[in-house]
Amino acid sequence: FVYKETTERTLKVFMFKPQGWKLGMNHPSIIFYFGGGLTNRNLNQLEVIAKKISSKGYVSFVVDYRVKSTESVTAIECITDAQDSFSFVRKNASAFAIDENKITAFGYSSGGYLSAALSTLIDKKNNSLSKPNAIILLAMGEPSQYKSSKWLGTNDINSVSTIYNIDKNTPSSLLFIGEEDPLLKYSIEFNRKMIESKNFSELILFEDNGHYYQMRNKTDKYFNLIFDKSLAFLNDQF
């Protein structure tokens, strides 16, 4: 489904339906944002887990968004694509047979940053339409802490910092991170700020693992741990 036309190209979301899907139902749903440093396009990175989640009664969506290597965009454009895609799904909840109040954002690495951004940053265009009801963050990045203002697309670093903008209204979060991941401190800080704000947040540490996960391999132990813990979290939330 086309969610946005840009000067660079047409942007789409790809939908995976659970068995027995039909109009009039109110399935919970989950929207996936791939990782790649907001630089590389990895559209099928989370397709396998998206399909497996949909087999459990969820409607899954995989989002295509612009990246630096092909569209020369900044982080700001990546964030607006994430906001517009999420809003598109919620606006069309009835057409997708989903519950507009049970939509989760799931992101890996920079996709985790985008999912966190949906939950914490102000969206002047879409307002609350782009705010998830829950978030799952796998090896989340936080480029506002280590990238230049030119790369980010703004001199107001706090305006694109997910950690800085956590408040009492930030939705429940589940974070996965490897103990050897160089981005570990950002997940720890995000989790700490969530708890300080009296929000639900769970941080799951993977011993001896770094930043890479085989998210296309259903036999991989981390894939299955991530899937099982995510499904339990979603079932608890909804």
Side-chain angles (χ1 to χ4, degrees):
F1 299 88
V2 174
Y3 74 86
K4 186 175 183 177
E5 295 283 359
T6 72
T7 55
E8 294 87 6
R9 61 185 175 89
T10 298
L11 301 177
K12 298 179 180 180
V13 294
F14 299 86
M15 177 186 182
F16 300 96
K17 302 176 183 178
Q19 187 174 8
W21 178 97
K22 63 180 180 180
L23 290 174
M25 290 184 165
N26 283 293
H27 293 278
S29 59
I30 182 163
I31 305 176
F32 291 84
Y33 295 89
F34 62 79
L38 305 183
T39 299
N40 299 311
R41 185 170 179 253
N42 297 303
L43 185 56
N44 68 347
Q45 182 186 69
L46 299 174
E47 180 181 344
V48 175
I49 194 169
K51 288 180 176 178
K52 190 168 183 179
I53 288 280
S54 70
S55 74
K56 299 299 182 180
Y58 288 78
V59 176
S60 295
F61 300 88
V62 171
V63 174
D64 189 12
Y65 61 89
R66 290 172 291 175
V67 292
K68 296 180 185 300
S69 64
T70 51
E71 284 84 40
S72 300
V73 293
T74 68
I76 290 292
E77 283 78 38
C78 298
I79 292 168
T80 58
D81 288 351
Q83 291 169 335
D84 290 341
S85 62
F86 201 96
S87 299
F88 172 82
V89 171
R90 179 166 274 141
K91 287 175 185 176
N92 291 282
S94 60
F96 294 135
I98 64 174
D99 188 328
E100 64 179 347
N101 297 310
K102 295 180 179 180
I103 311 177
T104 300
F106 181 117
Y108 176 15
S109 190
S110 58
Y113 168 70
L114 293 179
S115 298
L118 290 171
S119 305
T120 58
L121 305 186
I122 294 172
D123 182 354
K124 294 180 180 179
K125 177 183 176 182
N126 301 295
N127 298 311
S128 61
L129 283 173
S130 65
K131 191 165 190 173
N133 302 104
I135 50 175
I136 301 174
L137 312 176
L138 171 59
M140 178 189 71
E142 179 53 69
S144 68
Q145 303 300 304
Y146 51 81
K147 292 291 187 179
S148 67
S149 57
K150 181 179 179 180
W151 190 97
L152 293 167
T154 177
N155 290 318
D156 184 3
I157 303 303
N158 285 341
S159 70
V160 291
S161 168
T162 63
I163 294 170
Y164 178 84
N165 287 288
I166 289 171
D167 62 23
K168 64 180 181 179
N169 298 313
T170 304
S172 298
S173 65
L174 175 64
L175 297 93
F176 300 102
I177 191 77
E179 291 185 349
E180 303 301 321
D181 193 323
L183 301 177
L184 172 62
K185 62 183 178 181
Y186 304 117
S187 288
I188 291 175
E189 182 68 3
F190 189 97
N191 184 64
R192 184 183 70 80
K193 287 286 187 69
M194 285 287 287
I195 293 170
E196 282 183 356
S197 298
K198 302 188 186 311
N199 300 320
F200 177 84
S201 184
E202 182 179 1
L203 175 64
I204 296 176
L205 298 174
F206 293 134
E207 186 178 1
D208 299 326
N209 200 66
H211 191 68
Y212 177 70
Y213 296 88
Q214 297 185 52
M215 296 310 295
R216 300 184 184 96
N217 182 2
K218 289 191 286 186
T219 65
D220 179 74
K221 70 172 183 177
Y222 290 116
F223 178 98
N224 285 290
L225 282 168
I226 291 163
F227 175 80
D228 291 342
K229 291 286 189 180
S230 295
L231 190 61
F233 170 74
L234 292 170
N235 289 340
D236 285 345
Q237 295 300 311
F238 306 128

